[in-house]
mmCIF file of all heavy atoms in Angstrom:
data_model
loop_
_atom_site.group_PDB
_atom_site.id
_atom_site.type_symbol
_atom_site.label_atom_id
_atom_site.label_comp_id
_atom_site.label_asym_id
_atom_site.label_seq_id
_atom_site.Cartn_x
_atom_site.Cartn_y
_atom_site.Cartn_z
ATOM 1 N N ARG A 322 48.585 -80.470 67.339
ATOM 2 C CA ARG A 322 48.418 -79.753 66.026
ATOM 3 C C ARG A 322 48.977 -80.534 64.846
ATOM 4 O O ARG A 322 48.351 -80.431 63.802
ATOM 5 C CB ARG A 322 49.017 -78.331 66.144
ATOM 6 C CG ARG A 322 48.780 -77.601 64.826
ATOM 7 C CD ARG A 322 49.212 -76.223 64.802
ATOM 8 N NE ARG A 322 48.159 -75.351 65.567
ATOM 9 C CZ ARG A 322 48.360 -74.572 66.643
ATOM 10 N NH1 ARG A 322 49.626 -74.492 67.096
ATOM 11 N NH2 ARG A 322 47.424 -73.856 67.109
ATOM 12 N N LYS A 323 50.039 -81.342 65.131
ATOM 13 C CA LYS A 323 50.540 -82.175 64.041
ATOM 14 C C LYS A 323 49.566 -83.249 63.696
ATOM 15 O O LYS A 323 49.388 -83.544 62.589
ATOM 16 C CB LYS A 323 51.872 -82.732 64.422
ATOM 17 C CG LYS A 323 52.714 -83.326 63.267
ATOM 18 C CD LYS A 323 53.947 -83.941 63.703
ATOM 19 C CE LYS A 323 54.851 -82.816 64.145
ATOM 20 N NZ LYS A 323 56.270 -83.202 64.565
ATOM 21 N N SER A 324 48.949 -83.812 64.671
ATOM 22 C CA SER A 324 48.107 -84.912 64.536
ATOM 23 C C SER A 324 46.637 -84.561 64.176
ATOM 24 O O SER A 324 45.915 -85.221 63.305
ATOM 25 C CB SER A 324 47.949 -85.838 65.726
ATOM 26 O OG SER A 324 49.224 -86.391 66.033
ATOM 27 N N TYR A 325 46.211 -83.404 64.622
ATOM 28 C CA TYR A 325 44.840 -82.963 64.499
ATOM 29 C C TYR A 325 44.761 -81.417 64.212
ATOM 30 O O TYR A 325 44.251 -80.732 64.864
ATOM 31 C CB TYR A 325 43.988 -83.204 65.742
ATOM 32 C CG TYR A 325 44.185 -84.508 66.308
ATOM 33 C CD1 TYR A 325 45.073 -84.659 67.480
ATOM 34 C CD2 TYR A 325 43.722 -85.654 65.972
ATOM 35 C CE1 TYR A 325 45.403 -85.829 68.081
ATOM 36 C CE2 TYR A 325 43.975 -86.890 66.514
ATOM 37 C CZ TYR A 325 44.762 -86.936 67.558
ATOM 38 O OH TYR A 325 45.058 -88.112 68.191
ATOM 39 N N PRO A 326 45.405 -81.113 62.972
ATOM 40 C CA PRO A 326 45.523 -79.574 62.735
ATOM 41 C C PRO A 326 44.281 -78.774 62.738
ATOM 42 O O PRO A 326 44.197 -77.701 63.303
ATOM 43 C CB PRO A 326 46.289 -79.620 61.535
ATOM 44 C CG PRO A 326 45.987 -80.972 60.780
ATOM 45 C CD PRO A 326 45.873 -81.949 61.956
ATOM 46 N N ILE A 327 43.300 -79.322 62.134
ATOM 47 C CA ILE A 327 41.993 -78.531 62.030
ATOM 48 C C ILE A 327 41.281 -78.487 63.289
ATOM 49 O O ILE A 327 40.763 -77.329 63.682
ATOM 50 C CB ILE A 327 41.144 -79.170 60.923
ATOM 51 C CG1 ILE A 327 41.825 -79.557 59.493
ATOM 52 C CG2 ILE A 327 39.814 -78.362 60.779
ATOM 53 C CD1 ILE A 327 42.393 -78.290 58.953
ATOM 54 N N ILE A 328 41.167 -79.602 64.002
ATOM 55 C CA ILE A 328 40.505 -79.550 65.255
ATOM 56 C C ILE A 328 41.245 -78.471 66.241
ATOM 57 O O ILE A 328 40.608 -77.693 66.912
ATOM 58 C CB ILE A 328 40.420 -81.067 65.946
ATOM 59 C CG1 ILE A 328 39.508 -81.810 65.054
ATOM 60 C CG2 ILE A 328 39.951 -80.922 67.361
ATOM 61 C CD1 ILE A 328 39.424 -83.301 65.471
ATOM 62 N N ILE A 329 42.541 -78.659 66.258
ATOM 63 C CA ILE A 329 43.265 -77.909 67.300
ATOM 64 C C ILE A 329 43.182 -76.451 66.876
ATOM 65 O O ILE A 329 43.097 -75.590 67.757
ATOM 66 C CB ILE A 329 44.774 -78.381 67.578
ATOM 67 C CG1 ILE A 329 44.713 -79.822 68.036
ATOM 68 C CG2 ILE A 329 45.512 -77.497 68.378
ATOM 69 C CD1 ILE A 329 44.007 -79.890 69.398
ATOM 70 N N ASP A 330 43.320 -76.168 65.592
ATOM 71 C CA ASP A 330 43.130 -74.730 65.231
ATOM 72 C C ASP A 330 41.721 -74.135 65.537
ATOM 73 O O ASP A 330 41.639 -72.977 65.950
ATOM 74 C CB ASP A 330 43.400 -74.590 63.802
ATOM 75 C CG ASP A 330 44.896 -74.620 63.228
ATOM 76 O OD1 ASP A 330 45.739 -74.584 64.256
ATOM 77 O OD2 ASP A 330 45.162 -74.653 62.065
ATOM 78 N N THR A 331 40.691 -75.024 65.405
ATOM 79 C CA THR A 331 39.442 -74.545 65.827
ATOM 80 C C THR A 331 39.332 -74.372 67.294
ATOM 81 O O THR A 331 38.805 -73.352 67.772
ATOM 82 C CB THR A 331 38.345 -75.685 65.415
ATOM 83 O OG1 THR A 331 38.507 -75.968 64.038
ATOM 84 C CG2 THR A 331 36.973 -75.296 65.899
ATOM 85 N N VAL A 332 39.928 -75.368 68.122
ATOM 86 C CA VAL A 332 39.848 -75.140 69.590
ATOM 87 C C VAL A 332 40.729 -73.980 70.071
ATOM 88 O O VAL A 332 40.264 -73.280 70.930
ATOM 89 C CB VAL A 332 40.467 -76.402 70.236
ATOM 90 C CG1 VAL A 332 40.682 -76.223 71.739
ATOM 91 C CG2 VAL A 332 39.327 -77.550 70.023
ATOM 92 N N MET A 333 41.843 -73.747 69.480
ATOM 93 C CA MET A 333 42.724 -72.667 69.856
ATOM 94 C C MET A 333 42.233 -71.267 69.368
ATOM 95 O O MET A 333 42.822 -70.221 69.666
ATOM 96 C CB MET A 333 44.104 -72.838 69.311
ATOM 97 C CG MET A 333 44.706 -74.115 69.882
ATOM 98 S SD MET A 333 44.869 -74.252 71.603
ATOM 99 C CE MET A 333 46.274 -73.369 71.847
ATOM 100 N N GLY A 334 41.061 -71.290 68.572
ATOM 101 C CA GLY A 334 40.664 -70.015 68.116
ATOM 102 C C GLY A 334 41.297 -69.483 66.873
ATOM 103 O O GLY A 334 41.151 -68.339 66.536
ATOM 104 N N LEU A 335 42.074 -70.228 66.300
ATOM 105 C CA LEU A 335 42.726 -69.811 65.012
ATOM 106 C C LEU A 335 41.831 -69.900 63.812
ATOM 107 O O LEU A 335 41.103 -70.882 63.811
ATOM 108 C CB LEU A 335 44.076 -70.693 64.791
ATOM 109 C CG LEU A 335 45.118 -70.635 65.926
ATOM 110 C CD1 LEU A 335 46.236 -71.605 65.516
ATOM 111 C CD2 LEU A 335 45.764 -69.249 66.195
#
Side-chain angles (χ1 to χ4, degrees):
R322 184 171 276 125
K323 190 178 292 184
S324 299
Y325 319 98
I327 309 302
I328 294 172
I329 297 304
D330 283 352
T331 300
V332 167
M333 301 300 278
L335 303 174

